[in-house]
Amino acid sequence: MAPKVTAPAVLARKGGSKLKMVTAYDAPTARIADRAGADIILVGDSVANVVLGYEDTLAVTVDVMVHHTAAVTRMNPQALVVGDMPWLSYHSSTTETVHNAGRFIQEGGAGAVKLEGGRKRLDMIHAVLDAEIPVMGHLGLTPQSVHAMGGYRVQGKEAQAAYELISDANALADAGVFAIVLEGVPDVVAEIVTNEIQVPTIGIGAGVNCDGQVLVFHDVTGLGAGEYLPKFVKQYAHIADDAVAALEEFFADVESGAFPSEAETYHMPAGSEEMLRDLSSQSSDILADEAMER
Ligand code: KIV
């Protein structure tokens, strides 16, 4: 069996074979991602909108994220499991940040955490790294900043904004993150970052020049309930449609009596059925006699 993927192993892949990352939020999606050969499974805070029905990612807490992370790690995947630190869990103090990051490791069984933001999060990143917890960065369209960004918009489209993003990437790399997710940025910005920094970049809506790519499980497999798919998603299957077709067939079989068939039915051992039928007809005779006497 191949060894488990670790954060240093991901870092060592810089410029090598492309890193394959996908989200998973529970045991079955983790098992599928691992069987398919994911290097990294991200327990993303996108669980909020993808699975839990919220509008955005802001509603989920550390408790919720750790609960989902533990479900993923119970499958013992070969992939590195990265827990996504939710909004407000790494914003107020380094002490609280380290405590929250530690919960992903101790209770969730993750091998690393991810947090969003650039230079303004450096103190928190240093503190988590000092606690020996590997950190993955996340720059560009950072969904936890949806209100500050005024919506989900491609970031770094203007030269100055792109320059700031590249500076953020350099700062995170210097701080010691083992990889950086680049989300929703023009391809040339991702290309410059990828060429400049010594840690792998993992793109989502960031063009082909990153060191790896990530997509949300439910988007790539067509399991999602939502109608809207961002431009950067390529859907490789239509699992939700297949599931609807399967359930329609099941319900039709229930209506027609075709389900359950012999194959799905339990029987009593030879002799027991007859004995039971005798007993039950005797007891109904006794009950009928008692009713007559009354
Ligand atoms: O939560 C998530 O799914 C993410 C990916 C989009 C990178 O952060």
Side-chain angles (χ1 to χ4, degrees), residues 18 33 41 49 70 72 83 97 101 123 128 182 184 189 191 199 227 270 272 294:
K18 295 266 187 182
I41 294 176
N49 42 303
V72 166
T97 300
D123 286 351
V128 177
L182 295 175
V189 177
E191 183 185 343
V199 303
E227 329 261 273
S272 295
R294 266 187 259 122

Side-chain angles (χ1 to χ4, degrees), residues 21 23 25 42-47 57 84 114 116 138 143 181 183 204 214 216:
M21 172 161 135
T23 64
Y25 313 108
L42 171 68
V43 188
D45 62 354
S46 52
V47 68
T57 61
D84 210 2
K114 174 170 86 59
E116 297 181 3
H138 186 162
V181 169
E183 178 167 357
I204 174 164
V214 55
V216 165

Side-chain angles (χ1 to χ4, degrees), residues 2-219:
K4 268 183 174 288
V5 181
T6 62
V10 169
L11 178 61
R13 291 266 291 273
K14 174 71 189 178
S17 59
K18 295 266 187 182
L19 288 158
K20 298 156 290 178
M21 172 161 135
V22 68
T23 64
Y25 313 108
D26 54 22
T29 54
R31 198 180 280 134
I32 292 167
D34 209 46
R35 278 180 60 191
D39 296 305
I40 306 168
I41 294 176
L42 171 68
V43 188
D45 62 354
S46 52
V47 68
N49 42 303
V50 174
V51 170
L52 302 177
Y54 292 110
E55 278 275 299
D56 52 42
T57 61
L58 304 180
V60 282
T61 59
V62 175
D63 282 347
V64 170
M65 291 307 303
V66 168
H67 171 80
H68 285 275
T69 305
V72 166
T73 59
R74 269 181 221 119
M75 290 303 100
N76 199 18
Q78 196 187 326
L80 172 67
V81 176
V82 178
D84 210 2
M85 295 193 68
W87 182 56
L88 289 187
S89 69
Y90 56 95
H91 299 71
S92 28
S93 74
T94 51
T95 309
E96 205 180 317
T97 300
V98 172
H99 171 76
N100 288 331
R103 289 192 60 196
F104 280 88
I105 311 297
Q106 275 187 332
E107 299 170 41
V113 297
K114 174 170 86 59
L115 54 86
E116 297 181 3
R119 282 162 290 179
K120 63 178 158 186
R121 301 284 165 238
L122 271 183
D123 286 351
M124 307 302 179
I125 291 171
H126 281 301
V128 177
L129 289 170
D130 282 351
E132 313 298 346
I133 300 171
V135 175
M136 173 181 275
H138 186 162
L139 296 172
L141 193 173
T142 45
Q144 291 172 14
S145 315
V146 56
H147 296 306
M149 291 182 305
Y152 297 105
R153 301 175 196 288
V154 174
Q155 301 294 299
K157 276 171 119 174
E158 308 302 329
Q160 186 59 38
Y163 179 78
E164 296 298 334
L165 196 150
I166 294 164
S167 304
D168 278 338
N170 274 294
L172 293 194
D174 291 346
V177 302
F178 71 94
I180 299 178
V181 169
L182 295 175
E183 178 167 357
V185 299
D187 56 352
V188 64
V189 177
E191 183 185 343
I192 292 171
V193 170
T194 303
N195 290 339
E196 269 193 21
I197 66 173
Q198 292 310 307
V199 303
T201 56
I202 302 178
I204 174 164
V208 75
N209 291 308
C210 297
D211 296 301
Q213 296 289 331
V214 55
L215 282 177
V216 165
F217 185 99
H218 293 56
D219 290 346

